[in-house]
Amino acid sequence: AALASARRGLALALAAQHDDTVVAQLYFPAEFTYAVYLPLLVPIAMPVLMATWRQLVAGMKGKKAALREKADEAIAASGEQKPEEVS
């Protein structure tokens, strides 16, 4: 009984897949695709993009501080006066 139902279901699914009323609905315009996926992707993408941005900014600040520290060490080693800080 289960096998017969499965076979009948497969036959109906294949018949429905090639029906003219369904084939016309297989290809959606891009606007419909955006309307479906944007509400799903934006809540996921925004926190990921914001976290990436924060990490980039923090990395740039850390790199800038490391370069400044390295320059200060080089100046201290050479015995020259340290220039005034410029923000």
Side-chain angles (χ1 to χ4, degrees):
L3 183 59
S5 295
R7 284 185 182 153
R8 184 168 185 269
L10 177 62
L12 289 173
L14 291 174
Q17 184 178 6
H18 296 291
D19 188 49
D20 290 336
T21 59
V22 176
V23 173
Q25 296 295 322
L26 289 179
Y27 304 101
F28 294 110
E31 292 84 11
F32 292 129
T33 305
Y34 299 147
V36 169
Y37 288 113
L38 278 179
L40 299 173
L41 295 178
V42 170
I44 295 170
M46 288 304 293
V48 170
L49 292 175
M50 292 303 295
T52 302
W53 179 256
R54 287 184 188 141
Q55 288 295 318
L56 288 173
V57 169
M60 296 294 277
K61 285 182 182 179
K63 187 175 183 179
K64 193 174 185 178
L67 287 174
R68 185 174 290 150
E69 184 178 316
K70 189 175 181 181
D72 290 346
E73 289 173 3
I75 290 171
S78 67
E80 296 177 21
Q81 278 191 331
K82 182 177 176 184
E84 292 186 25
E85 296 273 333
V86 178
S87 295

